[in-house]
Amino acid sequence: MFTGLGIIFDTYANERHSYGFPRVLAVNLDGHTKYDLGNDGDSQALGACSVNFRRTNVATKFKLTYVKGDFLDLKIQYKAWDEWTDCFTIPGITLPSNPFIGFSALTGDVSDNHEYVSSHSHP
């Protein structure tokens, strides 16, 4: 359980779906509702895309753009350097004025290396 927006890079399907994995999704939780791990957050997703970001020839990076009260957009670099693929756009979303940003990783039977390199904010 958490309060706020989560961008989840899910590499393992816990349930059968009509889409492929790995999958990237955005959920906005209220602190009282559990993330639906068993169904891979399917019913909670505000936006999502299936992207094969594992074992690529370039570092997988994501670019999250938020325009207050207008939209949140996620693009991913995984095919080639400086080639950005649209993942999702969420219109009309409002996030807190003073957000807390956190990064976390969890692995199960299928493990990956997770490296936090940097983040940038523009006023």
Side-chain angles (χ1 to χ4, degrees):
M1 290 187 285
F2 60 88
T3 301
L5 179 72
I7 306 295
I8 299 168
F9 288 73
D10 193 348
T11 58
Y12 182 80
N14 294 303
E15 186 65 38
R16 290 182 184 233
H17 300 284
S18 60
Y19 47 79
F21 277 75
R23 186 150 174 89
V24 182
L25 65 147
V27 297
N28 197 9
L29 297 183
D30 60 11
H32 303 288
T33 305
K34 288 183 179 182
Y35 173 68
D36 188 5
L37 181 64
N39 292 309
D40 303 296
D42 197 30
S43 65
Q44 299 166 318
L46 299 175
C49 68
S50 296
V51 179
N52 192 10
F53 57 78
R54 297 179 74 217
R55 296 182 188 96
T56 63
N57 292 328
V58 300
T60 299
K61 296 180 181 183
F62 71 95
K63 186 185 315 184
L64 188 65
T65 303
Y66 172 65
V67 176
K68 186 177 182 178
D70 196 7
F71 70 91
L72 180 120
D73 181 75
L74 182 74
K75 296 183 184 330
I76 301 176
Q77 171 193 278
Y78 71 101
K79 295 177 183 176
W81 292 106
D82 294 321
E83 181 180 329
W84 294 92
T85 301
D86 291 326
C87 183
F88 58 76
T89 299
I90 304 168
I93 190 168
T94 300
L95 300 178
S97 298
N98 297 311
F100 172 80
I101 298 173
F103 298 89
S104 178
L106 171 71
T107 61
D109 291 339
V110 179
S111 62
D112 286 293
N113 184 41
H114 302 87
E115 294 180 37
Y116 170 78
V117 177
S118 69
S119 62
H120 305 281
S121 175
H122 301 284

